[in-house]
PDB file of all heavy atoms in Angstrom:
ATOM      1  N   LYS A   3     203.395 -34.717 136.448  1.00 94.00           N
ATOM      2  CA  LYS A   3     204.100 -33.674 135.715  1.00 94.00           C
ATOM      3  C   LYS A   3     203.148 -32.643 135.248  1.00 94.00           C
ATOM      4  O   LYS A   3     202.044 -33.008 134.647  1.00 94.00           O
ATOM      5  CB  LYS A   3     204.874 -34.289 134.583  1.00 94.00           C
ATOM      6  CG  LYS A   3     205.650 -33.304 133.762  1.00 94.00           C
ATOM      7  CD  LYS A   3     206.351 -33.883 132.633  1.00 94.00           C
ATOM      8  CE  LYS A   3     207.033 -32.862 131.745  1.00 94.00           C
ATOM      9  NZ  LYS A   3     207.675 -33.424 130.638  1.00 94.00           N
ATOM     10  N   MET A  37     177.801 -34.351 124.634  1.00 96.00           N
ATOM     11  CA  MET A  37     177.514 -35.300 125.739  1.00 96.00           C
ATOM     12  C   MET A  37     175.963 -35.198 126.072  1.00 96.00           C
ATOM     13  O   MET A  37     175.326 -34.217 125.883  1.00 96.00           O
ATOM     14  CB  MET A  37     178.295 -34.927 126.938  1.00 96.00           C
ATOM     15  CG  MET A  37     178.155 -35.856 128.141  1.00 96.00           C
ATOM     16  SD  MET A  37     178.535 -37.597 127.770  1.00 96.00           S
ATOM     17  CE  MET A  37     180.251 -37.592 127.145  1.00 96.00           C
ATOM     18  N   ASP A  42     166.621 -37.192 128.007  1.00 98.00           N
ATOM     19  CA  ASP A  42     166.142 -36.943 126.581  1.00 98.00           C
ATOM     20  C   ASP A  42     166.833 -35.764 125.951  1.00 98.00           C
ATOM     21  O   ASP A  42     166.239 -35.079 125.089  1.00 98.00           O
ATOM     22  CB  ASP A  42     164.625 -36.841 126.584  1.00 98.00           C
ATOM     23  CG  ASP A  42     164.122 -35.562 127.270  1.00 98.00           C
ATOM     24  OD1 ASP A  42     164.858 -34.950 128.040  1.00 98.00           O
ATOM     25  OD2 ASP A  42     162.887 -35.186 127.080  1.00 98.00           O
ATOM     26  N   PHE A  64     167.963 -32.224 113.873  1.00 98.00           N
ATOM     27  CA  PHE A  64     169.191 -32.871 113.502  1.00 98.00           C
ATOM     28  C   PHE A  64     169.270 -34.255 114.032  1.00 98.00           C
ATOM     29  O   PHE A  64     168.444 -34.631 114.833  1.00 98.00           O
ATOM     30  CB  PHE A  64     170.424 -32.060 113.919  1.00 98.00           C
ATOM     31  CG  PHE A  64     170.480 -31.854 115.462  1.00 98.00           C
ATOM     32  CD1 PHE A  64     171.233 -32.629 116.283  1.00 98.00           C
ATOM     33  CD2 PHE A  64     169.725 -30.817 116.042  1.00 98.00           C
ATOM     34  CE1 PHE A  64     171.294 -32.487 117.664  1.00 98.00           C
ATOM     35  CE2 PHE A  64     169.804 -30.596 117.421  1.00 98.00           C
ATOM     36  CZ  PHE A  64     170.545 -31.392 118.188  1.00 98.00           C
ATOM     37  N   GLY A 151     167.620 -56.343 124.096  1.00 96.00           N
ATOM     38  CA  GLY A 151     167.175 -55.289 123.201  1.00 96.00           C
ATOM     39  C   GLY A 151     167.838 -53.900 123.353  1.00 96.00           C
ATOM     40  O   GLY A 151     167.411 -52.943 122.813  1.00 96.00           O
ATOM     41  N   TRP A 181     176.588 -48.462 139.320  1.00 88.00           N
ATOM     42  CA  TRP A 181     175.739 -48.461 140.549  1.00 88.00           C
ATOM     43  C   TRP A 181     175.859 -49.735 141.330  1.00 88.00           C
ATOM     44  O   TRP A 181     174.913 -50.141 142.024  1.00 88.00           O
ATOM     45  CB  TRP A 181     174.248 -48.201 140.176  1.00 88.00           C
ATOM     46  CG  TRP A 181     174.123 -46.814 139.544  1.00 88.00           C
ATOM     47  CD1 TRP A 181     174.118 -45.606 140.262  1.00 88.00           C
ATOM     48  CD2 TRP A 181     173.933 -46.553 138.200  1.00 88.00           C
ATOM     49  NE1 TRP A 181     173.995 -44.580 139.320  1.00 88.00           N
ATOM     50  CE2 TRP A 181     173.884 -45.127 138.044  1.00 88.00           C
ATOM     51  CE3 TRP A 181     173.839 -47.302 137.005  1.00 88.00           C
ATOM     52  CZ2 TRP A 181     173.826 -44.489 136.805  1.00 88.00           C
ATOM     53  CZ3 TRP A 181     173.709 -46.684 135.769  1.00 88.00           C
ATOM     54  CH2 TRP A 181     173.696 -45.281 135.722  1.00 88.00           C
ATOM     55  N   ASN A 182     176.975 -50.473 141.148  1.00 89.00           N
ATOM     56  CA  ASN A 182     177.241 -51.737 141.883  1.00 89.00           C
ATOM     57  C   ASN A 182     178.723 -51.854 142.223  1.00 89.00           C
ATOM     58  O   ASN A 182     178.970 -52.381 143.347  1.00 89.00           O
ATOM     59  CB  ASN A 182     176.808 -52.884 140.952  1.00 89.00           C
ATOM     60  CG  ASN A 182     176.845 -54.231 141.676  1.00 89.00           C
ATOM     61  OD1 ASN A 182     177.369 -54.337 142.735  1.00 89.00           O
ATOM     62  ND2 ASN A 182     176.215 -55.279 141.081  1.00 89.00           N
TER      63      ASN A 182
END
Side-chain angles (χ1 to χ4, degrees):
K3 179 180 176 183
M37 187 52 60
D42 67 344
F64 57 98
W181 300 284
N182 189 346

